[in-house]
Amino acid sequence: MSILTSQEFTRRIEAAREVVRQNNLDAVLVFSTECEPAAVRYFSDYWPSFETAAVLIPAEGEPALIIGPESLTYASSRSKISRIIQLMDFRESSQPDYPGSTLPKWTDVVAQYKLKKIGLCGWYLFPYVMMMELVKAMGCIDRVIPADSMIRPIFMKKSALEVECLKAAAKASEAGFKAILENIKPGMTESELCGIATAAMTAAGAEATGYPVWCCSGPNSDQAISRPTMRKIQCGEIVHFSIGAKVEGYSASIGRPVVLGHCPDEIRKFLQVGLDAANMTFDVMRAGVKSGDAALKVHDFIRAQGYGDAILYGPAHGCGQMECEYPFLETSSEYMLEADMTFMQDMFLHRNGMGFRWEDGLLVKASGPAEMLSSYGRQINIL
C-alpha cells in the first residue's frame, strides 16, 4: 500500500502554482534526467528511464508531464498528472530518428499555454540544444529564467507523509547493513558486498537503491564519492560502506565503517572522533539555529581533537527525493534551520590514505535535538 496520496501531489502542484504567480510567470518548467529524477517525480511520481522528462506547471490551467517518444505507456501507468505531452527533444541520448513521427514541438506547447515568460527548475541539468529550441519557441532568451531558488522552499520542509517515506527508506537501508554484518568476511570483493546489501534492501521493501551503493576498502576508503571494485577486503583496514534505499521516490542512507580482525589504535581513535562529531551534529541541528553556526561547532570539535586536516565538507546535507539535495549544511551557510527540514548527517573524514563515513538521516524538530531516522550499527564495528 502506497504512503503518498493523490492529495499530496495536488498540494505540491498548488504550491508551485503560487510560486509562479508570485514571480509574475506564466509557468514553471521542472526538468529532470534519468540519473537525477527527483524534481519531476516530486510533482508527478513519474521516474524517467533512458529519456528525460519535465513537468509544466502553469499559473492557471492543467499541468502537463512532458516525456520522450517511447515512454507513453510507462508514463500513463504511473503519472499523477493526467495530461502527458511527448516531445522529440526528450528522447534518449543516442538520438534515434523515429521516422514518420508527428510529435508536437516546443512552438506548439508555447502556443497552447500562451507562454510569454517561464521559470526553469533544473537550470544546470537542462541541455544546451534543448534550451536553444525552447528559447526559439519563446522568442527571446530573457523569457526563460532560472527558477531553482524559487521552487526549493517547497522541497525543503517535508510533510508527514514524506517523513514516513524517509523513515521506511532508512529502515530498508538498515536491512542492507545488517546483511553486511552477517555475511562479511576477508576475501570478499567490494562489489560482492554491495550486491548483498542491495538484495537485502529490496527484500525489505525498497523499490531500488537510492544511489549506486558502494563499499570502499583499504586505500579505496579515502574516496568520499566512489563505486565498488573487485578489490578483496582484508583484515586490519577500514572497509567503508555507503548504503541507501529508495521508497516511493525518497532516498535514505547509512554510512558505516567496519574493520575486520585487529584494529590498530590509530584507526580506532580516528573512527571514534568521526562518530563523536556525527553524534554532535544531531544535537546542534535545532530549529532556530543558523545553519553555518551548527556546522562550525562540529568542525571546531574535530579540529580540537587534532583532525582538522581530515575535514572535507559537511557535516550534513538535505535529503528527500534525492539522497543528497539542497541545502548543504556548511560553515558558510546562512539559512536558519526550521522544524520539518530533513537532512543526512554526513561525516566523512580522511587522512593518510584512509577515510570513512558516518551517515544517517535526521529530522529537525520544533524543539530539542534532531530526530535520528536510523541507528542500526551506529557504533565502532570491529568484527
Side-chain angles (χ1 to χ4, degrees):
M1 182 176 178
S2 296
I3 296 172
L4 299 176
T5 63
S6 58
Q7 291 85 355
E8 177 78 10
F9 287 95
T10 298
R11 177 190 66 79
R12 297 171 182 183
I13 292 289
E14 291 307 314
R17 283 194 203 278
E18 186 59 29
V19 170
V20 169
R21 297 180 189 119
Q22 289 174 356
N23 288 276
N24 297 314
L25 300 172
D26 297 310
V28 64
L29 183 71
V30 180
F31 178 78
S32 289
T33 65
E34 181 181 18
C35 69
E36 295 203 27
V40 163
R41 190 164 186 190
Y42 181 82
F43 288 109
S44 70
D45 202 30
Y46 175 66
W47 188 3
S49 177
F50 283 89
E51 300 180 335
T52 55
V55 172
L56 182 68
I57 305 172
E60 305 291 341
E62 186 180 11
L65 171 65
I66 304 177
I67 61 171
E70 292 189 42
S71 299
L72 182 59
T73 53
Y74 167 49
S76 299
S77 72
R78 67 174 302 145
S79 175
K80 299 299 190 295
I81 295 174
S82 58
R83 184 170 191 202
I84 299 175
I85 299 172
Q86 292 177 277
L87 293 183
M88 190 67 74
D89 275 359
F90 288 78
R91 63 188 161 180
E92 58 188 272
S93 60
S94 55
Q95 296 288 289
D97 287 336
Y98 300 103
S101 170
T102 57
L103 294 181
K105 301 183 183 303
W106 281 113
T107 49
D108 300 312
V109 176
V110 168
Q112 186 169 9
Y113 279 88
K114 299 181 173 58
L115 302 177
K116 293 184 172 54
K117 189 174 184 180
I118 67 170
L120 175 60
C121 180
W123 184 265
Y124 293 100
L125 295 175
F126 205 62
Y128 174 80
V129 291
M130 198 182 294
M131 175 67 87
M132 291 301 97
E133 291 299 314
L134 175 59
V135 167
K136 187 190 302 183
M138 292 293 294
C140 176
I141 195 168
D142 293 338
R143 294 179 179 177
V144 183
I145 65 171
D148 291 270
S149 61
M150 301 176 193
I151 297 296
R152 279 172 179 163
I154 300 175
F155 296 92
M156 285 175 65
K157 295 180 72 171
K158 302 300 191 289
S159 70
L161 294 181
E162 290 179 282
V163 172
E164 191 175 341
C165 288
L166 282 168
K167 288 182 176 180
K171 202 60 157 176
S173 300
E174 290 184 343
F177 187 60
K178 183 175 186 289
I180 292 295
L181 294 183
E182 291 173 348
N183 291 279
I184 188 171
K185 58 181 181 288
M188 299 179 77
T189 68
E190 295 174 347
S191 292
E192 182 181 2
L193 287 162
C194 287
I196 289 171
T198 299
M201 286 189 288
T202 54
E207 63 187 4
T209 60
Y211 53 88
V213 299
W214 64 78
C215 165
C216 309
S217 62
N220 293 344
S221 69
D222 193 44
Q223 302 165 4
I225 296 176
S226 187
R227 291 185 184 273
T229 71
M230 298 307 294
R231 183 183 187 274
K232 294 181 178 181
I233 65 169
Q234 303 171 27
C235 290
E237 64 181 14
I238 294 176
V239 185
H240 150 211
F241 294 93
S242 284
I243 298 171
K246 185 187 290 288
V247 172
E248 293 194 38
Y250 285 80
S251 297
S253 181
I254 64 173
R256 302 284 189 268
V258 172
V259 178
L260 300 181
H262 173 69
C263 180
D265 290 343
E266 175 193 7
I267 291 180
R268 185 188 292 268
K269 180 182 178 184
F270 192 23
L271 297 178
Q272 188 64 56
V273 168
L275 179 56
D276 290 344
N279 288 335
M280 176 182 287
T281 304
F282 286 88
D283 185 56
V284 300
M285 291 187 67
R286 300 174 181 237
V289 172
K290 183 180 175 182
S291 52
D293 292 345
L296 188 60
K297 286 182 179 180
V298 177
H299 283 195
D300 282 349
F301 168 78
I302 297 169
R303 292 189 183 95
Q305 309 309 307
Y307 289 89
D309 62 303
I311 298 171
L312 179 62
Y313 61 79
H317 56 75
C319 71
Q321 292 247 345
M322 293 289 286
E323 186 275 336
C324 183
E325 70 178 34
Y326 182 89
F328 266 75
L329 187 91
E330 302 174 277
T331 55
S332 58
S333 300
E334 294 289 335
Y335 64 91
M336 303 300 290
L337 293 170
E338 298 180 45
D340 301 323
M341 286 183 171
T342 54
F343 292 83
M344 298 307 305
Q345 165 276 306
D346 185 358
M347 178 53 57
F348 179 80
L349 298 177
H350 69 133
R351 63 160 31 168
N352 300 330
M354 62 180 175
F356 58 84
R357 169 176 280 104
W358 294 103
E359 184 170 17
D360 284 290
L362 68 83
L363 171 66
V364 179
K365 306 293 287 184
S367 61
E371 177 184 346
M372 188 181 294
L373 301 188
S374 54
S375 61
Y376 181 83
R378 194 178 170 86
Q379 60 197 27
I380 304 298
N381 290 293
I382 302 172
L383 307 178

